[in-house]
Every structure is written in C-alpha cells, then in structure tokens.
Amino acid sequence: MIDAPTLEALSEPILPTLYVLDYAGVAVFGATGALAAAREKHDLVTLAFFAAITGVGGGTLRDLLIDAPVFWVQDWRYIAICLAAALVVWFLGQRAWRFRALLWLDAVGLAAYGVLGAAKTEAVGGAPLLCIIMGALTACFGGVVRDLLAGQPSILLRREITVTAALVAATAYVALKALGLSNLGAALIAAPCGFALRAGALTWGWSLPSFPGSTARG
C-alpha cells in the first residue's frame, strides 16, 4: 500500500512545464504509434490502438513495477490524447514534413519522460539506480512495443541514440537530486541534457561505438 504522503507527492507535478510535457509527450508518442500503423495502410481503429499502446505503454509498465496507481486509469485524458493523436495523423494524410517534426518532438518527450519516470520512482522510495532504469523505461518502452507490433527493428537494435538520451536525462536528474537540488532545479537541468544528446544524434548522426571486431567468420 502507498501511504498518503507518497500519493500526494505523486500527484504533485515536478515542474509545470514538464507536467504539460507529460501530456504533450503522450500525444507525440501516440502520434508515432499511429504513424507506424499508417505506413502499413491500416484502418483508423488500428491507428488508435497503436497510438494508445505507444503513448501510455512505458508509463503503464513503470507504474505496475513500482506498485503505483496506473496513471491513465486515474486520468482519462491520457487515453483521450492518444485517440486525438491518431485522428490528427489520419486527417493529415501524407505530409513531407511530419516525420521530421515528430523526430524532434520525440526528442523532447524522451528527455521529459526520462525525468518524469525517475521522479515518480523516487517518490515511492525507489533506489537511485532503479529511478534511472524506470526513467528510461518510461520514455522508451512504448516505442519498443510499437516497433514489435509494426514488424520494424526495435529502437533497442538501432545504432542511434534514443534510449541513451533518456538514460542521460534520468541519470542527471537523480545525480542532481543527490547533490541537494530541488525537483525543479534538477528537472530544469536534466531534461535539456537528454534533449541535447538526442538533438546531436539527429543533427550530426551521433551514435555509440559498436562492439569491436569483424562479424565475418573464418
């Protein structure tokens, strides 16, 4: 059972801007899920399903693992936002700019969700390493499920910086809190750190080093 002070901490936003980004992140991730279904020419119901799975998937797993109330069950607006994102993708149709725009919005979501996931886990007494893991899981798990359902290579198997950006945001938040910064101060620094890393990957093609050695046999 979660005590009253913890529930109060969970309901209090870390930072008003990031609280807004919590909804915006669900919308962005929901849109990427709808786009994955749209590429395969699925119907509107399938677009909505992909949007919901991607938008709330990471946060759902996090809440189940930390034994907290599942966030979208407590607030119906999260699912409504996912459905709205699917409708927007459906009515936009083919637009040349939409994929690039979503990449940048996704970068914002990764950073914000990395911080929010870490903060919520900290609120229920999670250890620092657990907070970092849950931050990355919150930001990335929905995308992993989306890719699996769409038959696309998982973000875990792509040589591009995505999960790492969420890990950096979550780690920076936990480290700054350990140094005595407030939730507000830590979030203001940590989220831009994660975003900057992802932005660098999008702009200059940054990636982590691959395992050394040849894959050839013989």
Side-chain angles (χ1 to χ4, degrees):
M1 294 294 293
I2 300 177
D3 55 27
T6 299
L7 283 175
E8 184 177 355
L10 290 175
S11 65
E12 182 181 355
I14 308 165
L15 177 66
T17 302
L18 287 181
Y19 192 59
V20 172
L21 283 178
D22 194 16
Y23 291 112
V26 167
V28 169
F29 293 147
T32 65
L35 283 169
R39 291 190 192 102
E40 302 299 322
K41 307 297 183 182
H42 288 298
D43 58 34
L44 180 57
V45 173
T46 305
L47 261 69
F49 177 77
F50 268 65
I53 287 292
T54 308
V56 304
T60 299
L61 182 57
R62 175 206 61 215
D63 288 348
L64 291 173
L65 290 175
I66 65 175
D67 197 24
V70 177
F71 69 106
W72 59 268
V73 176
Q74 306 297 316
D75 187 348
W76 61 269
R77 288 171 290 190
Y78 286 103
I79 293 297
I81 288 170
C82 291
L83 299 180
L87 285 173
V88 169
V89 170
W90 179 269
F91 287 111
L92 273 179
Q94 294 294 332
R95 299 294 176 91
W97 51 264
R98 67 180 185 178
F99 292 102
R100 190 66 182 171
L102 281 169
L103 284 175
W104 285 96
L105 291 173
D106 185 63
V108 175
L110 281 171
Y113 266 36
V115 170
L116 288 164
K120 187 166 186 179
T121 306
E122 181 192 43
V124 298
L129 181 58
L130 183 60
C131 293
I132 293 169
I133 292 171
M134 289 299 169
L137 183 150
T138 303
C140 301
F141 184 73
V144 171
V145 175
R146 173 200 64 210
D147 293 341
L148 290 174
L149 290 175
Q152 299 294 322
S154 170
I155 59 174
L156 296 175
L157 302 179
R158 300 175 194 165
R159 287 200 60 219
E160 59 184 74
I161 293 176
T162 50
V163 178
T164 306
L167 283 169
V168 165
T171 301
Y173 177 82
V174 171
L176 291 167
K177 284 300 299 294
L179 291 174
L181 270 70
S182 65
N183 287 346
L184 172 61
L188 279 173
I189 298 172
C193 287
F195 174 78
L197 183 60
R198 179 60 178 150
L202 291 173
T203 304
W204 296 294
W206 293 348
S207 63
L208 296 177
S210 59
F211 185 79
S214 172
T215 57
R217 296 173 180 259

